[in-house]
Amino acid sequence: MSTISQPPHFAAPSAEEATAPVLIRGARPYGDEPTDLLLRAGRIAALGAQAAATAAELAEDGTPVLTVEAAGQIALPGLVDLHTHLREPGREDAETVETGSRAAALGGFTAVHAMANSTPAADSAGVVEQVHRLGREAGWTRVQPVGAVSVGLAGERLAELGAMAESSAAVRMFSDDGMCVHDPVLMRRALEYVKAVDGFVAQHAQEPRLTAGAQMHEGAVSAELGMPGWPAVAEESIIARDVLLAEHVGSRLHVCHVSTRGSVEIIRWAKSRGVDVTAEVTPHHLLLTDEQVRSFDPVYKVNPPLRTAEDVEALRAALADGTIDVVGTDHAPHPDQAKECEWVDAAMGMTGLETALPVLIATMIETGAMDWRRLAEATSARPAQIHRHAHLGRPIAVGETADLVLVDPAERRTVRPEEHATKGRNSPYAGRELPGRVRATFLEGHPVVLDGALATSRTGRTADRTVAP
Amino acid sequence: MKHLLSTASLAHADASAILDTAEEMSAVSTREVKKLPTLRGRTVVTLFHEDSTRTRVSFEAAAKRLSADVMNFSAKGSSVSKGESLKDTVQTLEALGADAVVMRHAAAGAAHQLAAADWTDCAVVNAGDGTHEHPTQALLDALTLRRGRAAAAGVDPRGTDLAGMRVLIVGDILHSRVARSNVWLLHTLGAEVHLAAPPTLLPVGVEHWPAAVHYDVDVALAAEPDAVMMLRVQAERMGGAFFPSAGEYTRRWGLTDERLAVVERLPGPARDGSGAMILHPGPMNRGVEISSAAADSPLNRVLDQVSHGVSVRMAVLHLLLSGDRGPDRAAEAASPAADPSTDRSRP
Ligand SMILES: [Zn+2]
């Protein structure tokens, strides 16, 4: 459908940086029977006995082959995050493309979509190209910029959607995330306009008038704590409006961070009507509730807010049955001082890239709510399809792009934010034990993470060394 | 009890200990020399990020009657201003040797954060945090209710709670820390709590509270409360948004002269038709939530509430800082043998 081809995500590595073939031994794709995988020239070259045989031939011919022992580990397609805040340009004290990319790699993400609420906002070809270039230079993961819907995310005038689409960043996803495109006319026009570039609008659904000064989910806990509430209806009313608008103009809508049971019901209804709508849930909304706010610890302050246990149950069920298509981290790093203050003054958001897979294992796999195939679909295949990345989110099969993650589901670790690669220390899971450790991440066959630690990026950067390109 | 942060987390035994200790403290307040030596050499800092002379002065009087040194910080004209983090401020105060911090803050949870973080070893007393809680106000209200009933029955209030009492709270429940603290505390002490307010001034979720909710004050009064607590309403600012006008608010929810006549005929704590107690956290908006006649009525306990505020705050500071667990030591301290009148070292 698209006539605009998407550009390569990385500068071609120089000869000395070319990646050696990798033999992964004894990994379990999607939790299935153990097998060997051979990664070569950016693709999955062979599986099973053929992988080991080919690796042996290569070694005999003098080609060095990296062997990775993966017994007991699950092999999954590299994770694709449609919702990441990398903060650069403008808030490099909170995160940079480099540090955020490292966090992504450690979390098993082979692609992240950088939200547009930087400073300046990613509302022009210049900014999205800058972010895209920084991502390519870092080389830890693919960084796909998201373009703003409106100029400066102000919700008033359409940004230059066409120019961003035609830029080297080839933007297809447009979002004012952080802000809701609340004006119904602007939202309608955005949905219409993106049809010309095969794009879609990702909405942060929050009716601003119903959430003025809102601090937390409006319900029993907010009543007790005396905090201005963020009612579920402020999310649900926007989603209801938007699915009807998307249907009316025949466009594609993606709903960011669905957080309520009512939103799930509206999306289920819209899908049953044939509306072209997809939806996302964050890991934190699958695990945490508004009860956490009783601590008044601003690490739990997030937008949309943590909801009730009933909402959590509904979100888990919806993710399992596909009503909610994908998991997006809404990774939102903040400097310490933005969280070491009174709740009302604290910034909203929590880090998520390095804890996403463990939280999903805890909430969806260990509970039996879904299997590894559905997890792979929700974290890789579907987000790639939504963005129409032809070569991403592909199955683990011979000839496919070698974007892979190896995770040890049995290893349980206590989350220590100070050890994270992200600059943000605002992890709501600090001190909590979570299952599942990412042991290795392969980006087009290149091991960016090995033994649970950063190896080298596609452009030759290491944890200690940021090479000027 | 290391801190006093909320009444939601206050156990019956702790609440009773505070009230019984406050009775001992009240005895001190009626003496010629209104001073006890129990907190000599200890430092109490009042840290007010919000203007409230009434509450600050009450805490200051309480601390001084216990012979503590008092340092007052207020948001205006001091280092405590927006931009300086709570953390920095408190570390500064601790460096000054504070043993207790009495904190008033516009942000809900500020006192909790202070107590929970490893920023300070001070005892933290919440003197009002946003629209969350104001525990010493509820305690002084409970003391007033308990005394009112004991006096009506001619018994000693000590050791009693509020079981069997019915208390009606009227007004802006949504934005009231006083209402929240009272709902939890009065319920813990056994009272039956009723609320009456415009639906717009009740929080979503109020149905989970241990309280009966009325939209109609006259229906609520028909349930024969022993006490009616009128909350301050910012009628001019809210008119048109939360209710149509100040006038309509007064007609429908105010303690008007007509409703005062009803209150005067209620059975009341004496059960003899001598009327219900009227409470108000102050300052009263005469002609808005309360008529002038109701403000000046003999049923009105506002002045008692003010003096009870000092007694309750003395009790709280005493219990938090002396390591004492109950009223007995306080009684001892308040006995003439421990009279501090000879102490002139801390004028
Ligand atoms: Zn958002």
Side-chain angles (χ1 to χ4, degrees), chain A residues 83 85 177-179 204 256-257 303-304 330:
Chain A
H83 197 144
H85 296 277
D177 183 63
M179 306 294 285
H204 168 118
C256 296
H257 43 52
N303 195 18
D330 198 2

Side-chain angles (χ1 to χ4, degrees), chain A residues 223 225-226 340-342 345, chain B residues 82 87 105 113 131 180 209:
Chain A
L225 300 186
E340 279 188 344
C341 59
E342 295 84 337
D345 295 326
Chain B
K82 212 169 170 72
K87 185 177 177 178
H105 202 293
Q113 288 178 277
T131 51
R180 282 184 180 77
W209 289 11

Side-chain angles (χ1 to χ4, degrees), chain A residues 336-361:
Chain A
D336 289 353
Q337 68 270 15
K339 290 288 191 181
E340 279 188 344
C341 59
E342 295 84 337
W343 180 282
V344 65
D345 295 326
M348 291 187 276
M350 31 183 74
T351 61
L353 286 169
E354 288 162 88
T355 48
L357 199 44
V359 171
L360 288 176
I361 292 171

Side-chain angles (χ1 to χ4, degrees), chain A residues 224-244:
Chain A
E224 202 173 312
L225 300 186
M227 292 226 243
W230 198 131
V233 63
E235 173 174 309
E236 293 155 5
S237 59
I238 292 290
I239 296 175
R241 180 200 74 179
D242 286 354
V243 295
L244 295 172

Side-chain angles (χ1 to χ4, degrees), chain B residues 94-105:
Chain B
E94 196 171 37
L96 292 172
D99 297 292
V101 176
V102 175
M103 186 183 204
R104 163 65 64 93
H105 202 293

Side-chain angles (χ1 to χ4, degrees), chain A residues 257-259 281-288 304-307 312 315:
Chain A
H257 43 52
V258 169
S259 71
V281 64
T282 71
H284 47 271
H285 287 112
L286 292 170
L287 180 60
L288 307 174
L306 301 176
R307 303 288 187 182
V312 168
L315 294 170

Side-chain angles (χ1 to χ4, degrees), chain A residues 80-99:
Chain A
V80 176
D81 188 9
L82 286 180
H83 197 144
T84 316
H85 296 277
L86 293 180
R87 304 297 188 211
E88 191 173 5
R91 288 308 303 269
E92 291 80 0
D93 58 326
E95 192 82 291
T96 62
V97 173
E98 171 73 22
T99 57

